[in-house]
Amino acid sequence: MASPPLICPSILASDFAKLGEEVAAIEAAGADWVHVDVMDGHFVPNITIGPDVVKALRPHTTLPFDVHLMVAPVDPWLEAYRAAGADVLSVHPESGPHLHRTLGRIRQLGAKAGVVLNPGTPLSVLDEVIDLVDLVLLMSVNPGFGGQSFIDSALRKIERTRALLDAAGSKAHLQVDGGVTALNAGACVAAGADALVAGTAVFKGGPACYAANIAGLKGVAA
Ligand code: DX5
Ligand code: ZN
């Protein structure tokens, strides 16, 4: 049986009036990484979290900050989010003209480099950059909002990505984001994912439910 996946709660679904308490609560509840969805109202139709907010959150948890940049152009923002405390910086290939350079820059800044593939983005984007990638994030919804439904064709794409990473000898994480629930988490892991982003499924019910929600996603009892 596959080992439990890393659970990366998306704070997009948390109470924004209590962000510091929310990240501390998910850490206490067993979360592995904090997933931060950064949206610019241009690359995606929503605006969310700037680097100052990430900086303000940094003292509230020891968990790695997994920052998903939905910003174009993305290059001018890498340094600010890294300085604010990001440990992983993930970028969409559509958010800049030079993916190879962008990934190299992220590693140069001392962060893990992630590539994010939208449902409509082909896996072949990875071919020329696989050696520069520490994480592949497969979107199982179109980015922009939490609370959307999981697109089932993502499962086959997870399998194909797992095969591609294994064939390349890559140790990159394979993370899935969007509409992940306790009902489809097991299928994602069986298909080859080792990290799951979940917003709604972690934060539903409030802090008293976080531990059970995270355990449900890991496929273990709370
Ligand atoms: C979508 C974001 C996701 C999303 C996850 O653009 O990247 O991280 O907020 O939220 P749920 O789990 O509610 O689909
Ligand atoms: Zn995300």
Side-chain angles (χ1 to χ4, degrees), residues 6-198:
L6 298 173
I7 302 299
C8 319
S10 165
I11 56 171
L12 192 58
S14 71
D15 183 344
F16 272 27
K18 298 182 182 161
L19 272 179
E21 290 165 49
E22 292 280 62
V23 295
I26 55 171
E27 178 167 15
D32 297 290
W33 294 355
V34 177
H35 186 79
V36 182
D37 284 308
V38 176
M39 305 185 185
D40 67 349
H42 165 75
F43 184 69
V44 290
N46 197 0
I47 294 181
T48 57
I49 298 170
D52 286 347
V53 177
V54 175
K55 187 177 174 190
L57 284 176
R58 192 58 281 183
H60 291 266
T61 177
T62 60
L63 296 181
F65 278 176
D66 164 34
V67 176
H68 174 188
L69 295 166
M70 289 162 272
V71 174
V74 72
D75 287 351
W77 294 100
L78 301 174
E79 199 167 342
Y81 281 94
R82 174 63 179 148
D87 298 283
V88 182
L89 288 167
S90 296
V91 300
H92 289 252
E94 299 87 354
S95 64
H98 304 294
L99 180 62
H100 187 280
R101 176 186 287 152
T102 301
L103 295 171
R105 179 68 182 140
I106 292 171
R107 282 188 166 178
Q108 197 179 50
L109 290 168
K112 287 190 164 58
V115 172
V116 194
L117 303 184
N118 283 333
T121 303
L123 281 185
S124 56
V125 164
L126 297 172
D127 287 349
E128 308 301 332
V129 293
I130 195 74
D131 292 345
L132 293 172
V133 171
D134 302 300
L135 175 144
V136 176
L137 170 50
L138 289 185
M139 294 305 301
S140 39
V141 299
N142 286 292
F145 303 96
Q148 303 183 78
S149 297
F150 187 89
I151 297 171
D152 286 326
S153 59
L155 287 174
R156 180 74 190 109
K157 198 170 179 184
I158 297 169
E159 291 176 358
R160 289 166 52 221
T161 310
R162 171 49 59 204
L164 186 153
L165 292 173
D166 290 351
S170 170
K171 296 271 180 275
H173 290 286
L174 176 42
Q175 189 183 46
V176 181
D177 185 5
V180 174
T181 70
L183 296 177
N184 56 32
C188 292
V189 173
D194 67 1
L196 303 176
V197 175

